[in-house]
Amino acid sequence: MMSRQPFTVADYLLTRLLQLNVTDVFQIPGDYVKHFTQALEDFDGVKTIGAVNELDATYAADAYARTRGLAAVSLQYGVSTFSALNAVAGAYVERSPIVVISACPGADMRNQTNMYGMIFHHSTGNLDADQNVYKNVTVAAETLSTSVGAAEKIDALLIAALTHRRPVYIACYKEVWGEPCPRPSATPLKAARLASEKLALENAVELAWSQITAAKKPLIFAGVEVLRFGLSKLLQKIIDASGMLYTTTTLGKTVVDEVGEQFIGTYADQASIASVITKVEEADCIISLGTILTDDYLWLMENKYPQMIQSSLGQMRVGYFQYEGVFMEDFMEALLKRFQKSKSYPLKVQAPAKPVYPEPWISNSDARWNDKPEVITYNRFFQHTMKFLLDQKMMDDIVMVYGVSSAMYVASNAMGMKQGSYISSAAWQCIGFETGAASGAQLGSGKRALTIAGDGGFMMVCQSLSTLARNNLNSVIFVMSNGVYAIEQVYVDVTAFEAGPQHKFDSFDILPKWDYMALAQAFGAKGFKVETVEELKRVLPLIKKIKSQPVLVEVCIPEKDLPQQMARLGNETLPV
C-alpha cells in the first residue's frame, strides 16, 4: 500500500493559484526549485508551460496576467531570475500581476558558505541578492526560510499582487517548497478594498465637478488601470451618463469596447488620427482615469496640466491640487453619481465621423509608393489585414499583441476593437515583448493571438515560436521585415528615411538577413512569405484555417517605408 504524499508549501501556492483561475504556470527548470517544479508536474488542474528562455516565459506570464487577471512564472535562482528581470520590470510599470516563483540555496548550503566561504552555483555570493533586486520591481518580495508561517506569507503576497495589480516575488530555501503545510481554505483570496479618506475624496470630487461643469469641451481620457482593476463597466457608465467624448492611451487601447458615437479614437500624440489630435487640443477639461502618463504624452502635460483631472494608481489631482488617500474606484463612483443626478448631463455631443475605409491607412501610407500599389507598406498591411478580420467576423475571437515598434503606433489608429483585445508594451516600451507574449495572451484569453512584430524585436526572442509549437497554439506572428530597427532610426534621425544614397541608416540600426521560412520549419511553425499586397490577401484566408500550429508570416516591406504616424512623431524629436 502506497503512503499518501504530504501536502506541501508548493501545493499550497498551487492551490491558491488555481482558486484564482491560474491554470497554467510558465516555467524554466532548475535544481534549487525542483521541489516546486515536481509538485507542479503532479498537480491536477494546473498545467506546466515549458518555455525556452526566461524572457519567453515571463513575457508570456505578463500577457497571461493581462488577459486572465493573474499569472505565475517559475524560475531558477540567480541565472534565471536575473534574466527575467526586464520582463518583470515591464509588468511592474504596466500593472500586470505576475507571481515570480523561485528557490535559493538552503540551510545546509548556507552553513557551508559560512564555514568554508563557498560560492554555490548561480549565486553572486550574496544569498539575498535575488530578493534585493526584485524589491525594485515588485510590490512585495519574500524568501521563506521555513514552512512555519508559509501559508500566511503566501496569502499576503497574492493579496498584494491582486490589490496593486503588480508582480510579487516569492522564493524558498530549496527544501522548504517540499515541506508539509496546512491546506488553504476553499475561499479564494481577494484584493484588499482600499477605502479613500472621506474628506479628501469629497474635496477632490467637489473641485473636479466645478472644473467639469465649467468646461465647454470636456473629454474623458481612459487608461489601462481601468481594465486592470476591473472598472471597465464603471467607466462605460460614466461615459454614458456624462455623454462626453472619450479617448484612450495607447497602453489603454480597448479598455472598453470601441463602439458608440462617443469614442473618438486612441490618442498617441502625433501618431493619432488628425481628428483625435484636434479634439484633445480643443479640450478645456480632460478627465484622465487610470492613465499611465509617459513621455509619449509630454505635449499633453506641458499644455493641458491645469485642465487635467488625474485619477490613477499613482496620483489623484485636480489641476495643481494633489490629494492623498483618494482611490480611483471611489472617485469614479462619486463622479458617476454626480453625472446621474445632474440635469445637465448627458451632453449632446458626437464624435467626429470615423475614418471611412480605406482610411486612415491610405492617407498615412508613405507617399513614395503611391504609384506602386503592389508594394506592402506598414499602412497597407493594416489596411488589408484589418479589413479581412472585420469581413470574416474574427474580431471577437482575437487578441492583438505588440511590443514597441512602428507597427504598434500605426495599429493605434485602428477602430472598433473589442475590450481587452489590444496588448502592447506602450509604457515600458520593450522591443521583442510581443513574440514572447503571444503564448500567454492566447492561453490567458482563450482567443487566437495575432502578433505584429518588428523584425528586430522578433530576432530577440524568436525561440518563442518553439513554445507556441510545443503547446499546439495557432498564434500568428507577422514579422514586418524591412531589415532595420525602423523605430530606433526614427527617433535618432528621421531624415535617414529620405530618398537618396546620402541618407543612410546608422550601422547599429541595420539588421542581419534571416531565412524566416527555414526558421519557421526548424521551430515547427507554418511559414509564409508575402512580398506584395496580392500575396498578403491570398495568405490571410490560409492562415485563418490553421488550427493547431503557430504561423510565421514574413511581411516584406521597403527598408525606407516611413508611415506618416511615425514621420510625425519623428519630426517632433528633431532638434530646434
Side-chain angles (χ1 to χ4, degrees):
M1 180 176 175
M2 293 181 62
S3 61
R4 292 184 62 190
Q5 295 295 317
F7 189 86
T8 65
V9 174
D11 293 324
Y12 186 96
L13 175 57
L14 288 166
T15 302
R16 282 304 202 195
L17 290 172
L18 182 58
Q19 289 173 344
L20 293 167
N21 200 28
V22 177
T23 56
D24 306 272
V25 172
F26 300 90
Q27 181 194 88
I28 298 294
D31 57 346
Y32 290 122
V33 77
K34 69 179 182 180
H35 289 298
F36 179 83
T37 58
Q38 288 174 335
L40 174 59
E41 192 79 16
D42 298 330
F43 194 87
D44 290 336
V46 180
K47 184 180 178 183
T48 304
I49 306 297
V52 293
N53 62 42
E54 288 78 9
L55 287 179
D56 176 36
T58 316
Y59 288 149
D62 184 347
Y64 190 98
R66 296 183 195 216
T67 53
R68 189 69 70 94
L70 186 69
V73 60
S74 171
L75 302 170
Q76 171 70 329
Y77 174 71
V79 290
S80 223
T81 50
F82 286 178
S83 292
L85 194 62
N86 170 57
V88 178
Y92 179 84
V93 170
E94 297 181 349
R95 322 293 195 249
S96 185
I98 303 172
V99 182
V100 180
I101 302 163
S102 189
C104 56
D108 55 343
M109 291 178 162
R110 289 165 191 265
N111 287 332
Q112 289 172 313
T113 296
N114 292 335
M115 290 173 64
Y116 308 122
M118 292 174 60
I119 294 181
F120 281 92
H121 61 288
H122 306 333
S123 169
T124 66
N126 175 2
L127 297 180
D128 297 323
D130 279 38
Q131 181 175 330
N132 291 342
V133 168
Y134 269 82
K135 283 180 179 178
N136 297 285
V137 292
T138 61
V139 291
E142 285 272 6
T143 299
L144 306 183
S145 60
T146 173
S147 58
V148 177
E152 292 79 9
K153 290 179 179 178
I154 289 171
D155 283 359
L157 285 165
L158 294 176
I159 290 169
L162 295 171
T163 301
H164 301 286
R165 298 301 196 271
R166 277 181 155 161
V168 295
Y169 169 88
I170 178 169
C172 288
Y173 285 17
K174 62 179 177 62
E175 65 273 11
V176 171
W177 283 124
E179 290 180 355
C181 182
R183 293 179 182 271
S185 72
T187 304
L189 298 170
K190 293 181 180 179
R193 181 66 167 91
L194 302 176
S196 298
E197 292 286 343
K198 185 178 179 182
L199 189 57
L201 175 63
E202 290 175 358
N203 290 340
V205 172
E206 195 63 42
L207 185 58
W209 189 249
S210 66
Q211 191 159 313
I212 291 166
T213 53
K216 302 298 183 185
K217 294 182 178 180
L219 181 70
I220 293 171
F221 188 33
V224 75
E225 290 179 357
V226 170
L227 184 63
R228 296 285 192 269
F229 286 89
L231 303 177
S232 293
K233 289 182 179 179
L234 179 55
L235 172 63
Q236 189 62 59
K237 288 179 181 178
I238 291 173
I239 292 167
D240 295 340
S242 69
M244 290 182 183
L245 302 181
Y246 74 98
T247 184
T248 70
T249 62
T250 309
L251 183 63
K253 186 171 177 62
T254 70
V255 68
V256 293
D257 287 346
E258 296 179 345
V259 295
E261 296 300 324
Q262 290 157 266
F263 180 60
I264 64 172
T266 295
Y267 179 59
D269 194 47
Q270 291 301 307
S272 312
I273 296 169
S275 60
V276 177
I277 296 173
T278 299
K279 285 296 180 185
V280 171
E281 291 180 349
E282 289 177 348
D284 54 359
C285 177
I286 296 176
I287 308 171
S288 179
L289 301 172
T291 60
I292 300 171
L293 294 172
T294 68
D295 51 359
D296 266 1
Y297 302 101
L298 186 59
W299 181 93
L300 196 69
M301 301 305 290
E302 290 177 340
N303 292 275
K304 297 291 183 180
Y305 192 93
Q307 291 85 43
M308 286 185 69
I309 298 163
Q310 170 75 358
S311 181
S312 66
L313 185 66
Q315 63 176 317
M316 175 69 234
R317 66 174 176 83
V318 182
Y320 292 106
F321 293 90
Q322 304 269 356
Y323 297 89
E324 297 294 330
V326 177
F327 297 104
M328 181 171 58
E329 183 174 0
D330 293 334
F331 179 77
M332 290 175 68
E333 287 177 344
L335 210 56
L336 175 61
K337 290 177 182 177
R338 292 285 184 117
F339 284 126
Q340 290 172 334
K341 290 179 180 178
S342 174
K343 294 180 180 178
S344 300
Y345 298 93
L347 301 176
K348 306 300 183 194
V349 293
Q350 191 170 352
K354 304 291 191 293
V356 178
Y357 183 85
E359 292 297 343
W361 315 113
I362 280 188
S363 62
N364 277 291
S365 194
D366 194 329
R368 82 187 77 187
W369 314 111
N370 284 354
D371 61 345
K372 295 181 178 179
E374 74 280 4
V375 171
I376 305 176
T377 66
Y378 279 103
N379 277 280
R380 287 175 182 169
F381 169 80
F382 282 100
Q383 174 187 337
H384 296 287
T385 302
M386 294 301 297
K387 186 175 191 304
F388 177 81
L389 295 173
L390 288 166
D391 289 349
Q392 296 293 314
K393 296 180 171 54
M394 295 172 65
M395 295 300 289
D396 288 356
D397 303 314
I398 64 165
V399 56
M400 302 186 82
V401 189
Y402 299 88
V404 67
S405 65
S406 297
M408 183 192 78
Y409 285 104
V410 176
S412 70
N413 289 180
M415 305 275 271
M417 298 184 70
K418 296 293 182 180
Q419 181 182 317
S421 65
Y422 182 100
I423 292 174
S424 70
S425 180
W428 181 238
Q429 297 218 339
C430 187
I431 294 175
F433 164 84
E434 63 274 34
T435 304
S439 61
Q442 185 151 338
L443 288 167
S445 68
K447 298 181 178 183
R448 192 176 193 182
L450 267 60
T451 291
I452 294 86
D455 45 4
F458 175 77
M459 287 178 178
M460 291 183 177
V461 286
C462 64
Q463 306 99 313
S464 298
L465 270 179
S466 179
T467 301
L468 294 169
R470 180 182 186 178
N471 291 282
N472 302 313
L473 299 175
N474 65 339
S475 302
V476 186
I477 313 291
F478 292 99
V479 177
M480 307 305 286
S481 181
N482 55 5
V484 293
Y485 280 122
I487 191 169
E488 298 292 344
Q489 188 63 56
V490 164
Y491 292 129
V492 171
D493 179 11
V494 72
T495 64
F497 288 88
E498 294 176 11
Q502 71 274 29
H503 298 291
K504 297 180 180 180
F505 284 77
D506 294 299
S507 60
F508 53 77
D509 281 332
I510 299 173
L511 299 170
K513 296 185 183 300
W514 279 18
D515 184 339
Y516 288 94
M517 296 306 96
L519 189 121
Q521 184 177 7
F523 284 134
K526 180 69 175 176
F528 296 98
K529 183 175 184 176
V530 295
E531 298 182 277
T532 67
V533 168
E534 286 305 313
E535 287 178 353
L536 175 64
K537 290 165 74 173
R538 284 200 299 270
V539 162
L540 289 172
L542 301 178
I543 294 171
K544 182 187 177 186
K545 296 177 183 177
I546 296 172
K547 300 298 182 185
S548 58
Q549 182 183 24
V551 181
L552 177 65
V553 186
E554 181 185 6
V555 182
C556 299
I557 57 178
E559 179 186 73
K560 289 199 171 186
D561 174 43
L562 180 62
Q564 290 307 292
Q565 295 93 336
M566 295 306 300
R568 295 191 295 272
L569 287 175
N571 286 322
E572 268 194 327
T573 66
L574 288 175
V576 295

